[in-house]
Amino acid sequence: MNSRRDFLRQVGGSALTLSLATTTFPEQAHALPADGKQLGVALVGLGSYADRVATAMKDCKLAKLIGGVTGTPTKIDTWSTKFGLDKANFYSYQNFEQIKDNPAIDAVYITLPNSMHHEYVIRAAKMGKHVICEKPMSVTVKEAEEMIAACKKANVKLYIGYRLHFEPYTRELIRLRKSGELGKILHVNSYDGFKIGDPKQWRLKKALAGGGAMMDVGIYCINGARYATGEEPIWVSAEETKTDPVKFKEVDETITWQMGFPSGAIASCVTTYNFNNLERLYVIGEKGFVELSPAFGYGPIKGRTHQGAMSWDTTKMHQTWQMDGLADCILNGKPDPNMTGEEGLKDMKVIEAVYKSIAAGGKKVSVV
C-alpha cells in the first residue's frame, strides 16, 4: 500500500524499516473459514455509536450485521432501510431473549450506557451468544467479575470494545515495545479528554455513566499506559479538579493521576470533560520513543518515533478492523489481542483505585 512504501522511504535502511516491512496487521490477514461462515452480529442499543459500528461493518469481510435491539420502534424502519436489514431480526429489550432462537445471530454487541452493560452481557450469555461489550465493561469491579463468570459458565466469548488493539499505529507501538527496539520503558504520558456539550446527556448522570471523564475517555489513558509498558500498574495517586460544580455535580470533570509499574516505569495521565486538544500517548524507552497524537480518537491516528514519522493506512474505520478482527478470533481461533473480559477487568481495577485515591486526598493507593 502507498502509505507503507512512503514510510519505508522515510526510514530506509534501518532495523525499524526491516521490521515494518515484514509486519502484517490483522486487516491484511483475515480469511473466511473454509465453510464461508461470517459472524452474524446484532447491536444492542441503536444510538450514535451503534450507527458508527454498523457503518463500519459495511466493509467487513468476516463479520456481518444481522439486526439490532432497540426501545424505539421507529428505529427499526430507519435501520432496516439504511443498512439493508431484515425487520424480523430486530428485537425490543422486553423480548431480547428471543435472539437465542435466531441462528443467524452468533454474537451481540452491547452499546448501551455503561450501567446497563452488566445486565445485558449476562442476559446475552444465558442465551448462548458470544458477547462484545463497549468500554468501560462495567461501572464496578464486582460487576465486571460477574460478567466474566456468566460468560465462562455459558461457554461463550466475552470481548470488550478496545478497538485500538486492532488499529495499525497502536499495533506498531506495541510491536516496538515487545521487540525491544525501544529498550526498557521508563516513562509514559497518556492524555485524553474533550469539552463535553449537552449538560442533560446520559454521560453526565452517575446512574447511567458510573463516572465522568475517567469512565468515558480516561480509560483509554489507563489502557494505553498498560499496553505501552506491557505491565500492570501496582499503585496510583490521583486528584480531581472541578471548574463547573453544577454541570459536573454527579460525575468527575478533570482528573490527573500517576501510575507506578513493577519495573519502576511511571505513567503521568490526564483526562477531562472541560477542554479540547488533549489526546496523546508518549512512550519513552532507554533506546527511543514513540508518540501517537492523536492517539485514541476515531482517527486518523498519527505517530512518530525516534527514527521518523510513522505512516500506515488509515482509510478503514477502526470498527471495521475491530469487528473483522474479533470475528477472526471467534471463527478461526486467532489469538485475542487483549480484548477479553479479563482485560476490561484490569482497567476497572485501576479506575476504582483512582477514585479511592481521590477520596483519600490524593494518597497513593495499591491496585489490587
Side-chain angles (χ1 to χ4, degrees):
M1 56 190 179
N2 291 337
S3 57
R4 181 162 64 181
R5 286 196 294 270
D6 292 341
F7 176 78
L8 296 181
R9 282 196 292 268
Q10 292 175 29
V11 296
S14 68
L16 179 61
T17 299
L18 177 60
S19 177
L20 280 176
T22 57
T23 296
T24 300
F25 288 121
E27 73 275 13
Q28 298 167 305
H30 297 323
L32 284 171
D35 61 4
K37 167 71 176 176
Q38 290 178 295
L39 186 76
V41 178
L43 300 174
V44 184
L46 304 184
S48 60
Y49 189 73
D51 188 275
R52 175 176 287 274
V53 174
T55 300
M57 288 186 70
K58 290 180 178 180
D59 294 324
C60 283
K61 294 180 174 63
L62 275 71
K64 181 179 180 181
L65 182 61
I66 299 296
V69 179
T70 180
T72 308
T74 54
K75 287 187 177 181
I76 296 176
D77 286 334
T78 302
W79 273 64
S80 61
T81 299
K82 183 175 182 179
F83 298 107
L85 303 174
D86 187 339
K87 292 181 182 180
N89 292 325
F90 284 84
Y91 302 85
S92 68
Y93 299 118
Q94 289 70 36
N95 67 5
F96 179 64
E97 274 70 19
Q98 290 182 15
I99 290 177
K100 70 181 178 181
D101 299 319
N102 190 333
I105 297 175
D106 304 299
V108 297
Y109 191 162
I110 312 298
T111 56
L112 295 163
N114 305 340
S115 65
M116 301 175 74
H117 293 177
H118 175 261
E119 174 186 351
Y120 280 89
V121 166
I122 291 176
R123 288 175 69 179
K126 289 179 178 178
M127 296 187 302
K129 302 296 184 180
H130 299 299
V131 190
I132 305 165
C133 179
E134 194 43 42
K135 59 83 199 159
M137 71 177 291
S138 61
V139 295
T140 67
V141 167
K142 181 176 182 294
E143 285 190 353
E145 291 172 338
E146 290 172 352
M147 293 157 70
I148 292 169
C151 290
K152 285 185 176 179
K153 182 178 180 180
N155 196 30
V156 297
K157 300 285 188 180
L158 171 60
Y159 293 111
I160 310 304
Y162 291 119
R163 58 186 162 76
L164 293 171
H165 287 246
F166 283 110
E167 189 279 321
Y169 284 83
T170 304
R171 298 277 289 191
E172 177 60 11
L173 181 153
I174 294 170
R175 189 201 65 77
L176 288 169
R177 186 261 298 166
K178 286 183 174 180
S179 71
E181 293 174 55
L182 300 176
K184 179 182 178 181
I185 304 302
L186 304 174
H187 190 77
V188 177
N189 291 145
S190 192
Y191 309 146
D192 197 17
F194 65 98
K195 189 173 183 64
I196 200 165
D198 182 7
K200 296 182 180 180
Q201 65 180 280
W202 69 264
R203 287 179 177 83
L204 298 179
K205 300 181 186 302
K206 186 174 179 62
L208 290 174
M214 174 57 67
M215 284 281 190
D216 188 11
V217 289
I219 192 170
Y220 286 118
C221 302
I222 293 170
N223 201 254
R226 290 179 50 242
Y227 58 68
T229 59
E231 297 185 273
E232 302 304 326
I234 55 177
W235 61 262
V236 302
S237 177
E239 295 182 348
E240 180 187 358
T241 301
K242 279 190 181 179
T243 63
D244 190 337
V246 175
K247 186 173 184 177
F248 300 101
K249 179 181 179 180
E250 297 186 27
V251 300
D252 46 279
E253 175 193 313
T254 301
I255 294 178
T256 59
W257 75 102
Q258 287 189 319
M259 297 187 289
F261 295 86
S263 66
I266 301 293
S268 296
C269 309
V270 182
T271 190
T272 188
Y273 268 165
N274 189 45
F275 50 86
N276 296 319
N277 302 310
L278 184 74
E279 189 182 336
R280 183 188 193 222
L281 180 57
Y282 186 47
V283 186
I284 302 171
E286 288 182 327
K287 298 179 182 179
F289 72 87
V290 179
E291 179 183 31
L292 302 184
S293 182
F296 304 117
Y298 296 144
I301 304 296
K302 295 182 180 179
R304 65 188 181 100
T305 77
H306 55 286
Q307 298 206 26
M310 301 168 69
S311 183
W312 294 102
D313 179 19
T314 58
T315 55
K316 280 188 181 180
M317 295 175 68
H318 294 178
Q319 292 79 8
T320 304
W321 281 317
Q322 172 187 307
M323 298 308 292
D324 262 349
L326 292 180
D328 214 2
C329 294
I330 294 171
L331 297 175
N332 297 321
K334 289 291 182 67
D336 164 65
N338 295 323
M339 291 178 68
T340 61
E342 285 77 8
E343 177 75 3
L345 174 61
K346 291 174 183 178
D347 281 343
M348 290 308 305
K349 288 182 176 180
V350 179
I351 288 174
E352 283 202 357
V354 166
Y355 285 139
K356 286 179 181 178
S357 177
I358 291 171
K363 291 183 180 179
K364 188 180 291 186
V365 171
S366 296
V367 180
V368 295

